[in-house]
Amino acid sequence: MAATKKLMSVRRDWRERDVRVVLAALIIAVATVATIALFASQLQRTLVSSASSFLAADRQLEAENGRPVPEPWINEATERGLETGRMVEFSTMVFGSDAFQLVSVKAVSNEYPLRGELEIQGSSEGSRVQVENGPAPGEVWINPRLLRLLDIQLGDTLEVGSRMLTVAGLVLREPDGGFSLSALAPRVMMHVDDVASTGVLQEGSRVKYVYLFAGEEASLERYYQWLQPQLEPSHEWEGVRDGETFSRSLDRAESFLLLGGSLAVLLAAVAVAVASRQYALSQRDTVALLKTLGLGSSGIGRLYLKRLALWGVTGMVGGLLVALPLFWVLTRLLSEALERPVPFQLDSAALTPALLTAVVSLFAFAYPPIRRLRNVPAMRVLRSQPGETGREALPDMLIAIVAVFGLVWLYAGEVSLVISLLGGLALLLGALGVLGWLLVATLRKVRGGGHAWRLALVGLYRHRRASLSQIAVFAMTLMLATTLILVRTSLLDDWQGQLPDDAPNHFLINIAPDAVDEVADYWEERGQPLDQLYPMVRGRFTELNGQPVKQVVSKDQRVGALNRELNLTWMPSLPADNVIVAGSWFEEGQTDGVSVEADLANALGLVLGDELTFTIGSDKVTANVTSIRTVQWDSMKPNFYMAFPPGGALTNMPATWITSFHLPKDRKSELNEFSRRFPTVSLLEIDNIIERIQEIVRQVTQAIEAILVLILAAALVVMAAVVSATLQDRQREGALLRTLGGRQSLLVRSTMLEFALLGGFAGILGVAAAEAAVWALQFRMFEGAFSWHWQVVLPIPIISAVVLSMFGRWQLRPVLSVSPMLLLRRLE
Amino acid sequence: MQTTNPDGQRLMLRVENLTHRVSLETDTLTILKAVSLEINRGESVAIVGRSGSGKTTLLGLLAGLDTPTEGTVELDGAIISRLSEDERAQLRAHRVGFVFQSFQLLPALTALENVMLPLELAGMNAPEKRARELLERVGLGERLTHTPRQLSGGEQQRVAIARAFASDPAILFADEPTGNLDNRTGQEISDLLMALNQEQGTTLVMVTHDEQLAARCSRQFHIEAGELTEPVAQVELAH
Ligand SMILES: Nc1ncnc2c1ncn2[C@@H]1O[C@H](COP(=O)(O)OP(=O)(O)O)[C@@H](O)[C@H]1O
Ligand SMILES: [Mg+2]
């Protein structure tokens, strides 16, 4: 079957323009979707594991009641195949050669950390090393600042209670340090078995026992179900979800990536649809001949089905060949950003949507027109038959719309995304209908003449069906591309705005009320003014409208805020980055009421007027919800779930003060002096974390940019598909015009004008539809306020008009350079 | 489907009362009116008439490429309108050959592959050998690997003729086979067509403007505005 085989070979196919477009579109779609899906799942995994490493485990059980949990609980976990570890945390004074310092001790068992990395420096000249376990018995590792504060060296001894322990290393990074404001004084890390011998812990000491668990997600869940009924209020079970800080930012990146993927799918679908219709039209002569030579219509059907399958396989293989190296690069970037190895791990489930995209695109968009080839009459070999009217394509449209819905939904899992995009598209098609009607109504009266303008309008009218469908496809493409560009712009602006270079990178905690002014002056004098200072009272939310809160909202166990002590505050005015979403902020002089953070209010079902009771030490305070506000958690400033008015219910409660400020890297050494001057103020250094977040944002931005390029490539493919569809017709017309004596310059000008009009119309429609889609998206996915994007809205129609008219000029090239006779012959 | 002819019928083609109409936007156009004719095995017949008189339409109906509005066409013992489309395709694959005014070669295939195509579609053995023989017979033994674009009009028509005879058809339909060629080349093509037809003993039905070519056929049908004027015997015409 050499000849038949050759007729159907992909290599031969590749030489045909329309097939190239279909294959290119498929490859781009598969590549984009695969890259995005792989990267998103990688991001997800990495995030969960870095969130896990904030706990140094997959789950933590904290006992804040100063007593260890019953031994059987831990044995049960071990029996269930979970890894376990334990830590004891407390504050105490330690003594160096002749200085002392309040430190925050973390005594860890051999297993620590179960997740994440611990980095230390073992000698004064040594480099950072990653270690698998904490210090050995008899040794301590300390925060480098303690060397100066206590005036000691590595190798010296440190007196902890009644024990002398050797300083064997400096803690540079601990997996579970950092984000928690309860990490108070500088760190001293020791072995848990040494704790008893120090004699520091007495009955009634403030101490926290922490148990670490790691293992299979399902086993952890089942263990928690077993454990939960036995937990007391002072026990807190913490999972990765609570460790979120920058996972919020990355959520948005993920949404964006998914949106990008959906757009790639849509663009590819349009390209495949246009090109395969074109291809089907071009195949009619071949089909007629094959029928004449004796191939039946079922044979024709099989032949083209085989070919579609070949395209599908080529698209999948090609797409994956593009996606894998790209994904590898992104993985490298991510690993650089996180400063730790991220395994190049192919999640085969993530590949399914990509491969499905190829199959659905082919069968929903390419198959219908190609299937109709079976109906081409054999008589066509003798006389050209009337072509398709376009009416046959109507059912195709329906299939296509359903398929697009399905794909985007499958892919993004976001109904609102599908609705926004399709809403934009529907709007666009509606506008197009009106435009079409106007075109027919107004241009009908224009008569051709020697004038380029008039010729261009006549041209538009004469090709009105082709013109409208071209405008439709261009507008659709522009809409999708513009949507993406707009969303990218607002996403990136938001991100960069969220962590400016002078974002606070240090917290001061535990400032005694009478030291507040002194601390503020200290930094003011050194040209480093503090952000606002907030009082902080630790309390537990215990009753809602007089009922124990754990009964009322027992269903949602994931509200971590219920399990632990909350930081309560009072503040005179609403912080600039908070937004009231219900109720109103406290009036001047108002002393009753409390303002609740919106996510928490949502999770607990709190509404305005609810009566909240907090237990603070042995006291209880009660207040009614007067406002609900959103909070910028990732602002690196102190944020509070509960805010009271000054002079309100909290006033007489024991408070310490907290603030954050920005200290440039080169002035880090000044912290030692500060700590000596204010030994009881805790300093939380988050500059490393901020740098990491900024780095991640930069790298993810690069990833997004790379994907954007892929998607714009898809848009170009669509454009090429559409324009090449009418190439021959236009060239033939141009040739005829010249044969009949039309001047070249007239032909050039009118064609360029015609295309400029096409491009302009398409640009205006596309941008308008994009704005509509972004408007809808902004509400649902990115929670931002909508604003017009003039800097994008204005240039796009102009660029599209210019580019298209250049393209029209370029298309005419063969018509102008060759004798009309030759051209007509060639186009025969 | 019937591809053989066990009782050795004399008739190759019988047409009765063939009428063909197409509906246009406003009214219907009758292209052929009650055409009846019979063509014997081994005969060569020319259909002549002015442009637009309905020759091509008639040829398409005779060959089973289209189905008539009324009337029957019996080709090689099979009544075409009673066959399904796939059965008609089978019939064409095994019993019918075509030559067209515009050659109709597939541009992607070489000369050899173009000739092999119908052989493969009919599921015949050793298609390449047969195709080579035929191409050598039409004088293109040296051009086997050339694609249609690399061949002149006359050469393309030779390939088309080789293709038409490839599957050893019982009947050959030709629609103005020399219409796109200059006089000399047309002459050569006519010679080749008639010669091969003679050699293979094929029934030939040919639409042509070329009076000389028509004159070389054993009979001529004249068609005028869709109606057949009586077939004229070759002998009478010579007087
Ligand atoms: N499908 C059709 N629709 C409309 N008119 C047709 C159709 N097929 C043929 N005709 C018309 O029928 C007439 C005969 O056509 P044709 O058989 O091609 O003539 P010939 O081959 O003798 O030149 C012509 O006027 C042609 O325009
Ligand atoms: Mg004709």
mmCIF file of all heavy atoms in Angstrom, chain A residues 603-618:
data_model
loop_
_atom_site.group_PDB
_atom_site.id
_atom_site.type_symbol
_atom_site.label_atom_id
_atom_site.label_comp_id
_atom_site.label_asym_id
_atom_site.label_seq_id
_atom_site.Cartn_x
_atom_site.Cartn_y
_atom_site.Cartn_z
ATOM 1 N N ALA A 603 -15.141 31.408 58.396
ATOM 2 C CA ALA A 603 -14.974 30.014 58.781
ATOM 3 C C ALA A 603 -15.837 29.674 59.985
ATOM 4 O O ALA A 603 -16.354 28.566 60.093
ATOM 5 C CB ALA A 603 -13.509 29.731 59.080
ATOM 6 N N LEU A 604 -15.985 30.620 60.888
ATOM 7 C CA LEU A 604 -16.760 30.349 62.090
ATOM 8 C C LEU A 604 -18.217 30.758 61.932
ATOM 9 O O LEU A 604 -19.036 30.518 62.808
ATOM 10 C CB LEU A 604 -16.158 31.099 63.289
ATOM 11 C CG LEU A 604 -14.727 30.715 63.663
ATOM 12 C CD1 LEU A 604 -14.272 31.504 64.869
ATOM 13 C CD2 LEU A 604 -14.635 29.223 63.956
ATOM 14 N N GLY A 605 -18.527 31.399 60.834
ATOM 15 C CA GLY A 605 -19.895 31.844 60.612
ATOM 16 C C GLY A 605 -20.279 33.005 61.512
ATOM 17 O O GLY A 605 -21.433 33.138 61.906
ATOM 18 N N LEU A 606 -19.305 33.844 61.839
ATOM 19 C CA LEU A 606 -19.615 34.995 62.687
ATOM 20 C C LEU A 606 -20.285 36.085 61.871
ATOM 21 O O LEU A 606 -19.924 36.320 60.717
ATOM 22 C CB LEU A 606 -18.333 35.565 63.307
ATOM 23 C CG LEU A 606 -17.500 34.593 64.155
ATOM 24 C CD1 LEU A 606 -16.309 35.310 64.759
ATOM 25 C CD2 LEU A 606 -18.373 33.971 65.241
ATOM 26 N N VAL A 607 -21.269 36.763 62.461
ATOM 27 C CA VAL A 607 -21.911 37.887 61.794
ATOM 28 C C VAL A 607 -21.909 39.077 62.743
ATOM 29 O O VAL A 607 -21.646 38.925 63.938
ATOM 30 C CB VAL A 607 -23.358 37.561 61.373
ATOM 31 C CG1 VAL A 607 -23.363 36.481 60.307
ATOM 32 C CG2 VAL A 607 -24.170 37.122 62.581
ATOM 33 N N LEU A 608 -22.205 40.236 62.183
ATOM 34 C CA LEU A 608 -22.253 41.449 62.991
ATOM 35 C C LEU A 608 -23.215 41.220 64.149
ATOM 36 O O LEU A 608 -24.273 40.617 63.976
ATOM 37 C CB LEU A 608 -22.730 42.631 62.148
ATOM 38 C CG LEU A 608 -21.753 43.102 61.060
ATOM 39 C CD1 LEU A 608 -22.364 44.245 60.272
ATOM 40 C CD2 LEU A 608 -20.424 43.520 61.665
ATOM 41 N N GLY A 609 -22.836 41.703 65.331
ATOM 42 C CA GLY A 609 -23.726 41.592 66.485
ATOM 43 C C GLY A 609 -23.480 40.367 67.338
ATOM 44 O O GLY A 609 -23.952 40.297 68.468
ATOM 45 N N ASP A 610 -22.750 39.344 66.810
ATOM 46 C CA ASP A 610 -22.460 38.166 67.621
ATOM 47 C C ASP A 610 -21.678 38.576 68.869
ATOM 48 O O ASP A 610 -20.848 39.485 68.813
ATOM 49 C CB ASP A 610 -21.621 37.162 66.815
ATOM 50 C CG ASP A 610 -22.501 36.267 65.960
ATOM 51 O OD1 ASP A 610 -23.725 36.236 66.192
ATOM 52 O OD2 ASP A 610 -21.961 35.611 65.046
ATOM 53 N N GLU A 611 -21.946 37.851 69.927
ATOM 54 C CA GLU A 611 -21.237 38.165 71.158
ATOM 55 C C GLU A 611 -20.086 37.179 71.351
ATOM 56 O O GLU A 611 -20.303 35.972 71.400
ATOM 57 C CB GLU A 611 -22.205 38.075 72.343
ATOM 58 C CG GLU A 611 -21.604 38.558 73.638
ATOM 59 C CD GLU A 611 -22.469 38.131 74.809
ATOM 60 O OE1 GLU A 611 -22.405 36.934 75.197
ATOM 61 O OE2 GLU A 611 -23.224 38.969 75.323
ATOM 62 N N LEU A 612 -18.866 37.699 71.414
ATOM 63 C CA LEU A 612 -17.694 36.843 71.539
ATOM 64 C C LEU A 612 -17.134 36.956 72.948
ATOM 65 O O LEU A 612 -17.042 38.050 73.495
ATOM 66 C CB LEU A 612 -16.598 37.245 70.551
ATOM 67 C CG LEU A 612 -17.029 37.540 69.107
ATOM 68 C CD1 LEU A 612 -15.793 37.811 68.249
ATOM 69 C CD2 LEU A 612 -17.815 36.377 68.529
ATOM 70 N N THR A 613 -16.740 35.801 73.507
ATOM 71 C CA THR A 613 -16.116 35.821 74.825
ATOM 72 C C THR A 613 -14.717 35.230 74.716
ATOM 73 O O THR A 613 -14.521 34.187 74.083
ATOM 74 C CB THR A 613 -16.934 35.003 75.830
ATOM 75 O OG1 THR A 613 -18.254 35.533 75.847
ATOM 76 C CG2 THR A 613 -16.316 35.087 77.221
ATOM 77 N N PHE A 614 -13.753 35.942 75.286
ATOM 78 C CA PHE A 614 -12.364 35.480 75.264
ATOM 79 C C PHE A 614 -11.926 35.196 76.688
ATOM 80 O O PHE A 614 -12.282 35.906 77.619
ATOM 81 C CB PHE A 614 -11.452 36.549 74.671
ATOM 82 C CG PHE A 614 -11.824 36.887 73.253
ATOM 83 C CD1 PHE A 614 -12.745 37.894 72.981
ATOM 84 C CD2 PHE A 614 -11.262 36.180 72.201
ATOM 85 C CE1 PHE A 614 -13.100 38.187 71.687
ATOM 86 C CE2 PHE A 614 -11.614 36.479 70.901
ATOM 87 C CZ PHE A 614 -12.536 37.483 70.633
ATOM 88 N N THR A 615 -11.143 34.133 76.834
ATOM 89 C CA THR A 615 -10.591 33.828 78.145
ATOM 90 C C THR A 615 -9.130 34.253 78.134
ATOM 91 O O THR A 615 -8.346 33.807 77.304
ATOM 92 C CB THR A 615 -10.690 32.326 78.431
ATOM 93 O OG1 THR A 615 -12.043 31.943 78.226
ATOM 94 C CG2 THR A 615 -10.259 32.018 79.852
ATOM 95 N N ILE A 616 -8.809 35.181 79.048
ATOM 96 C CA ILE A 616 -7.446 35.690 79.118
ATOM 97 C C ILE A 616 -6.952 35.389 80.518
ATOM 98 O O ILE A 616 -7.415 35.980 81.492
ATOM 99 C CB ILE A 616 -7.421 37.209 78.848
ATOM 100 C CG1 ILE A 616 -7.972 37.481 77.442
ATOM 101 C CG2 ILE A 616 -6.000 37.755 79.001
ATOM 102 C CD1 ILE A 616 -8.331 38.916 77.196
ATOM 103 N N GLY A 617 -6.034 34.425 80.595
ATOM 104 C CA GLY A 617 -5.630 33.981 81.924
ATOM 105 C C GLY A 617 -6.858 33.463 82.650
ATOM 106 O O GLY A 617 -7.537 32.568 82.156
ATOM 107 N N SER A 618 -7.184 34.074 83.772
ATOM 108 C CA SER A 618 -8.370 33.617 84.482
ATOM 109 C C SER A 618 -9.556 34.545 84.246
ATOM 110 O O SER A 618 -10.634 34.320 84.758
ATOM 111 C CB SER A 618 -8.048 33.535 85.980
ATOM 112 O OG SER A 618 -7.524 34.795 86.386
#
